[in-house]
Amino acid sequence: MNVELVLDYLGALSLAFGALFCLAAAIGLVRFPDPLTRMHAATKPSVFGLLLVLLGVTLTLRDPKVFTLLTFAVLMQVLTAPLSGHLVSRTAHRIDQWDAEHAVIDELAADQDDEPPTQAGP
């Protein structure tokens, strides 16, 4: 067995596992009951699945240009997924669309005002 054949098998395996993680994230988005659990499914397994898929493409193609582009895509995904998850969770808490009865700790209650935020107008 040569190195290229091993890299092709590793790339195919990485693509398959990445697709399974993305499928699990999609099922979680449909099946989970509240926005906070859906946010978890939208950020963690989908980002990891995308990382595995991009790793599989990189291992299969073995081109420096593809590696550079996919590294940029991974970087953007890792930087933006936690931010979007944070914004979704804070919005769900503010509009009272989260499962408060099963929560152990509510750390955002002290930050939330009694009145909803208003827009500053001219």
Side-chain angles (χ1 to χ4, degrees):
M1 286 181 67
N2 58 7
V3 175
E4 290 185 5
L5 186 61
V6 171
L7 288 176
D8 285 339
Y9 281 137
L10 286 175
L13 192 65
S14 178
L15 282 168
F17 279 122
L20 284 175
F21 270 94
C22 290
L23 177 66
I27 291 171
L29 281 173
V30 173
R31 299 288 305 217
F32 285 159
D34 64 333
L36 295 180
T37 54
R38 285 189 210 127
M39 179 256 328
H40 177 79
T43 55
K44 295 188 187 221
S46 65
V47 170
F48 186 65
L50 179 69
L51 294 176
L52 285 176
V53 166
L54 295 180
L55 176 68
V57 169
T58 303
L59 289 174
T60 305
L61 295 179
R62 295 182 290 278
D63 185 13
K65 294 176 188 175
V66 171
F67 175 75
T68 303
L69 181 65
L70 295 182
T71 301
F72 180 70
V74 165
L75 181 66
M76 296 311 307
Q77 197 57 222
V78 168
L79 289 175
T80 59
L83 179 66
S84 65
H86 175 74
L87 291 175
V88 166
S89 65
R90 286 190 64 99
T91 302
H93 188 275
R94 282 189 181 199
I95 63 174
D96 203 30
Q97 293 292 320
W98 65 295
D99 191 11
E101 64 188 39
H102 291 103
V104 177
I105 298 172
D106 185 9
E107 294 178 352
L108 292 177
D111 292 341
Q112 192 173 8
D113 297 331
D114 291 333
E115 299 177 15
T118 59
Q119 290 183 344

